[in-house]
Amino acid sequence: MILSICAVIAVRNEASYLRILLPLLAKQEIDVVIIDNGSTDNSHDLYTFFSENPIILVEYLPYEGVYSQRKQLEAKQEVYRNIEHDWVIHHDADEILEHYKEGYSLRDAIEEADAAGYNVLNFDELVFLPEPNKDYRNKNYYQDIHRYYFFEPSKQRLHRAWKRMFKFDNMDSGGHTITSEKISVYPENHVLRHYVVLGYEHAKEKYLHRTFNDQEIKGGWHHNRLDFTEDNLRLPYKSSFLFELSPHLLKKICRDTPTSIHYWKWEKQSSKKASLRSYTPKTIICVVGMHRSGTSVIARSLQVLDVELGNSLMPPDPNNNPTGYWEDLEINELNIKMLNYLESDWHSLSQIEQESVDELCKQGYFLQAVDILQKKAKGAPIFGFKDPRTAKLLPFWKKVFAHCQFNAHYIIAVRHPLSVCMSLQKRDDFEFEKSYYLWLENIISSFSHTEGERRIAVNYDLLIDFPDAEIKRIAKEVKLSAKQHELMLFKQKILSKKLRHTQYQLTDLAYTQTAPQIVQKVWPTVFDVTKGHQDIDSAMVKNNVNEWREELRQQKALLKYIDSLERKNTLSPEQDVLLKRKLSQQDASIREITSSKAWQMALLFRHIRTLLLPANSRREKIVITAYSRLLNSLKLIKTRNN
């Protein structure tokens, strides 16, 4: 028989939490009763949307101007008495309760305890904190926030699920623990994820103006949530208590360093165990952009700003990049490996989906990337890197930056699509029709995946023509200063108009027959952004990017089909080795034949014939005619004899 389980949740303006929490409970077939304490946000719309599944009842508790936990608990007790479920859960909107084992659910935890004869579950509280300057309201905080601290002011303090028939009461403890002779707590502590705030602005909105019930304060309640200020609500970059969950090992939790106070009181704590470490996040500059769009020269320009590019750079190529690629070999190799694993390539037309990013993390590439970047950034105040493949894998790399707590800046390299097409035709023999879509996919990926981040778009042609102005723009964005001597060397040794083989005007696309209509729409906006005529973070540009992305997404099936056809017509590494082996064997056979005595004699006779009978000479014609007559005579004699 399936256990009936009901979570009872008291809320006031918690829509940002409920839109994530309710589907998780519905998936586990856990019913929900809502006690609404005077919400003024759009929570009521969610009640209607999730009516019957999982919400079976909404009760309304009038708000009287102060936060009263006792009144909420009394309302919950009334619900516990009136419902008929086997188990009940005392749940808050900003919490997600889970089984302590990977792959098991909250329902599994309750069913295991029930089957083993226990009637109460205890939970360990992990408080999850967003990164500073991030806001996860109306986003999937459950999936994206991985920083946490283990909050444990006392042991066995969160009895959050129990068997209803025992009529347990958690009123006296403020909703934390149950005191009863009948209590039988399951021996393993499960996990309570507490998303106490979803960002700094949310923290101020949630706590700065909250007034608590005076009697509850006198009774010792709410002591952790008094004396809030704008300063102590700021989210820390790092602390001795903060740990990071791997995105795909979400139950691998560290309980070694518990804290008895919340983050907003850490700075006031005099004890060394709770002291906040002084920490300045590392800055990392990521250059993204389409191949042949100037990513190399833009990466090299970062050295003018004293940005470290590492000491493992790809060597120059006299035919394609004579002044250097300025590309880290380890990052380049990792990107190639990841694309190969996904059966993709830098010139694949289809975009990398989120499921593919998750798969890369599961396969260990995430930890490899973290190790590479941490190692390279360790000895550098500011580290920068480029690889045109990064634009295709940007969702993956953003996860890595967040995990490493890097202060990331993005430079988007752009170039006229006709110039890119011409360059790819010369270097890779690509048709223009393919190159246009490669350019388009890269631009859309670079713009959409850096939305909300610190970023700047740089036009390769403008950098060549006006290097001082463009480097000044870059320096302003990343908050650095140019070294004048380095700038002079950069202009003398790296920048050269001779290396720019094509330059087109803004309107030249209109005169081509191969440029897709969408490319003709995208380029003017991108060009205006690089010229400063439009703000890259303006609502108009964001709306345009969303429209382009949707238009490209509508061609997703076709682009994937084209990629699959290319893969079928491309030799695998094994096939390439086999073909080279066969060609080598054929070459060896030819060399053997041409070095034999018979071949040498044949060449000698051919040489003598050429000397005696020069081609098209009168002598050759006489011999050929005589030879032909001789053959005819022999045929006639043979016929007569028969």
Side-chain angles (χ1 to χ4, degrees):
M1 184 177 115
I2 299 176
L3 289 178
S4 58
I5 306 171
C6 183
V8 184
I9 310 173
V11 303
R12 175 173 167 77
N13 297 333
E14 309 281 17
S16 292
Y17 291 110
L18 292 176
R19 61 171 45 93
I20 301 299
L21 174 62
L22 291 175
L24 292 175
L25 294 173
K27 187 177 180 181
Q28 300 175 71
E29 297 182 342
I30 295 176
D31 292 334
V32 172
V33 172
I34 295 288
I35 300 172
D36 190 285
N37 193 196
S39 293
T40 57
D41 61 358
N42 63 343
S43 296
H44 302 279
D45 296 335
L46 293 172
Y47 305 160
T48 302
F49 185 84
F50 290 101
S51 177
E52 298 184 356
N53 185 29
I55 297 176
I56 60 170
L57 177 66
V58 179
E59 297 278 7
Y60 291 94
L61 178 67
Y63 182 66
E64 299 176 350
V66 296
Y67 177 85
S68 174
Q69 190 167 355
R70 181 169 292 277
K71 288 191 175 182
Q72 290 188 5
L73 290 173
E74 288 173 349
K76 284 190 172 187
Q77 286 295 326
E78 184 68 21
V79 172
Y80 300 150
R81 285 191 290 269
N82 293 329
I83 61 177
E84 297 181 351
H85 291 72
D86 298 314
W87 280 70
V88 294
I89 305 168
H90 169 69
H91 213 305
D92 286 344
D94 59 2
E95 299 169 349
I96 293 176
L97 278 60
E98 295 182 323
H99 197 293
Y100 73 96
K101 286 184 181 178
E102 198 82 35
Y104 291 82
S105 66
L106 175 60
R107 169 172 279 279
D108 292 331
I110 292 173
E111 289 179 347
E112 288 171 2
D114 187 84
Y118 297 97
N119 55 24
V120 174
L121 293 184
N122 186 67
F123 291 78
D124 284 336
E125 182 177 357
L126 304 178
V127 181
F128 282 74
L129 292 184
E131 305 89 346
N133 304 320
K134 294 280 187 177
D135 194 315
Y136 289 91
R137 285 176 291 185
N138 302 320
K139 295 180 181 178
N140 194 338
Y141 58 87
Y142 175 58
Q143 176 179 296
D144 295 331
I145 301 178
H146 297 132
R147 302 194 314 154
Y148 70 95
Y149 59 90
F150 179 29
F151 183 64
E152 191 184 45
S154 61
K155 300 288 185 182
Q156 291 287 315
R157 55 177 290 273
L158 291 177
H159 297 158
R160 286 305 187 88
W162 60 86
K163 206 163 185 175
R164 193 187 64 85
M165 63 177 288
F166 289 93
K167 300 179 181 179
F168 292 137
D169 189 332
N170 62 357
M171 286 283 296
D172 292 337
S173 66
H176 289 93
T177 57
I178 296 167
T179 303
S180 171
E181 294 180 355
K182 298 178 182 179
I183 189 172
S184 176
V185 181
Y186 188 76
E188 294 287 349
N189 291 347
H190 292 285
V191 174
L192 184 151
R193 291 165 163 257
H194 189 184
Y195 296 88
V196 61
V197 296
L198 299 178
Y200 176 57
E201 294 300 322
H202 179 242
K204 292 191 294 183
E205 179 182 300
K206 184 175 181 179
Y207 288 122
L208 276 185
H209 305 294
R210 177 178 288 188
T211 304
F212 295 96
N213 182 283
D214 285 337
Q215 293 300 317
E216 293 175 9
I217 294 173
K218 291 177 182 178
W221 293 10
H222 312 303
H223 64 278
N224 258 318
R225 285 170 171 76
L226 300 176
D227 303 320
F228 286 119
T229 67
E230 287 191 5
D231 284 336
N232 65 25
L233 282 174
R234 293 187 187 278
L235 296 160
Y237 280 108
K238 199 168 185 180
S239 164
S240 56
F241 298 124
L242 274 177
F243 296 90
E244 184 100 11
L245 284 183
S246 166
H248 298 282
L249 293 173
L250 298 181
K251 302 287 182 70
K252 192 175 181 180
I253 294 161
C254 179
R255 294 178 172 86
D256 296 339
T257 313
T259 175
S260 60
I261 57 175
H262 279 296
Y263 83 88
W264 49 81
K265 292 189 175 183
W266 286 351
E267 287 187 332
K268 291 184 178 180
Q269 177 73 317
S270 58
S271 169
K272 290 184 179 180
K273 289 184 179 180
S275 63
L276 190 66
R277 292 179 183 174
S278 176
Y279 177 72
T280 302
K282 287 275 188 182
T283 294
I284 193 164
I285 300 176
C286 178
V287 179
V288 296
M290 179 59 197
H291 293 253
R292 319 308 293 164
S293 290
T295 55
S296 298
V297 71
I298 291 173
R300 172 59 180 84
S301 75
L302 294 178
Q303 290 188 332
V304 174
L305 308 179
D306 207 22
V307 175
E308 178 61 54
L309 301 180
N311 55 8
S312 178
L313 297 176
M314 188 178 294
D317 179 349
N319 296 320
N320 293 308
N321 264 18
T323 59
Y325 286 94
W326 307 100
E327 190 166 316
D328 187 271
L329 286 169
E330 286 186 87
I331 294 174
N332 170 263
E333 182 181 358
L334 180 62
N335 279 339
I336 291 172
K337 285 181 179 178
M338 290 192 289
L339 290 173
N340 285 343
Y341 176 80
L342 297 175
E343 295 186 344
S344 183
D345 210 327
W346 70 266
H347 57 83
S348 296
L349 298 176
S350 53
Q351 294 183 304
I352 302 297
E353 305 289 341
Q354 183 59 45
E355 295 81 3
S356 297
V357 174
D358 295 338
E359 184 62 25
L360 290 173
C361 294
K362 289 179 183 178
Q363 295 299 320
Y365 292 109
F366 179 83
L367 294 180
Q368 287 184 49
V370 168
D371 182 62
I372 288 172
L373 280 191
Q374 286 182 337
K375 178 180 64 177
K376 293 183 179 298
K378 185 176 181 180
I382 300 176
F383 179 71
F385 76 94
K386 61 80 62 166
D387 178 359
R389 296 166 184 81
T390 304
K392 206 167 188 65
L393 293 162
L394 205 47
F396 171 86
W397 283 105
K398 286 179 67 178
K399 281 180 174 288
V400 175
F401 299 158
H403 179 85
C404 297
Q405 298 185 1
F406 286 139
N407 178 22
H409 293 261
Y410 298 89
I411 301 177
I412 306 171
V414 301
R415 191 182 184 189
H416 198 294
L418 275 173
S419 293
V420 173
C421 290
M422 288 290 291
S423 186
L424 289 175
Q425 185 184 59
K426 179 182 178 183
R427 189 189 74 172
D428 301 290
D429 199 26
F430 283 175
E431 299 290 341
F432 272 41
E433 288 81 358
K434 173 174 180 171
S435 296
Y436 279 126
Y437 275 97
L438 287 175
W439 179 91
L440 181 67
E441 188 269 336
N442 193 288
I443 286 289
I444 293 175
S445 179
S446 298
F447 272 68
S448 62
H449 290 307
T450 59
E451 184 176 317
E453 306 288 347
R454 300 174 186 87
R455 59 179 178 167
I456 185 173
V458 178
N459 188 323
Y460 170 73
D461 288 322
L462 294 179
L463 180 61
I464 294 292
D465 292 334
F466 310 104
D468 294 86
E470 290 303 299
I471 288 177
K472 186 177 180 180
R473 284 182 65 234
I474 297 172
K476 182 179 179 181
E477 170 59 30
V478 298
K479 296 179 172 58
L480 296 172
S481 300
K483 292 184 174 182
Q484 292 306 310
H485 177 67
E486 290 293 331
L487 177 58
M488 182 183 67
L489 292 177
F490 174 69
K491 290 191 291 185
Q492 290 176 350
K493 295 186 176 181
I494 303 299
L495 292 185
S496 173
K497 293 184 179 181
K498 293 180 181 179
L499 297 176
R500 178 177 58 183
H501 303 295
T502 59
Q503 184 177 13
Y504 292 94
Q505 300 301 313
L506 176 64
T507 57
D508 285 348
L509 274 177
Y511 303 108
T512 66
Q513 296 181 344
T514 55
Q517 193 66 35
I518 184 174
V519 173
Q520 297 186 43
K521 287 192 300 184
V522 170
W523 174 239
T525 300
V526 172
F527 180 79
D528 282 350
V529 167
T530 63
K531 289 281 288 184
H533 298 159
Q534 290 196 56
D535 184 353
I536 192 171
D537 294 314
S538 68
M540 182 181 293
V541 171
K542 290 179 181 179
N543 290 337
N544 285 343
V545 172
N546 289 334
E547 289 177 8
W548 304 336
R549 184 170 55 188
E550 182 56 34
E551 191 169 340
L552 190 62
R553 187 179 289 121
Q554 290 174 6
Q555 302 181 53
K556 173 181 172 181
L558 176 61
L559 297 178
K560 282 194 170 184
Y561 178 66
I562 294 171
D563 286 341
S564 68
L565 290 179
E566 279 209 347
R567 284 196 298 272
K568 288 179 181 178
N569 293 326
T570 303
L571 292 176
S572 68
E574 293 79 10
Q575 290 172 322
D576 187 52
V577 170
L578 184 60
L579 179 60
K580 287 179 179 177
R581 188 179 300 158
K582 288 183 176 180
L583 290 174
S584 178
Q585 290 172 350
Q586 289 180 355
D587 288 342
S589 298
I590 291 171
R591 284 195 299 272
E592 183 179 354
I593 291 171
T594 55
S595 60
S596 66
K597 290 184 178 180
W599 183 262
Q600 297 298 326
M601 290 296 294
L603 284 180
L604 177 61
F605 285 128
R606 185 178 183 84
H607 181 61
I608 293 172
R609 178 190 178 282
T610 303
L611 291 175
L612 295 177
L613 304 172
N616 298 321
S617 65
R618 184 170 178 273
R619 195 184 310 165
E620 182 188 44
K621 291 178 182 178
I622 292 172
V623 171
I624 291 174
T625 302
Y627 182 68
S628 176
R629 289 176 180 175
L630 177 62
L631 288 178
N632 290 333
S633 298
L634 292 173
K635 287 180 182 178
L636 181 62
I637 293 170
K638 185 176 181 181
T639 302
R640 288 175 179 175
N641 290 337
N642 291 335

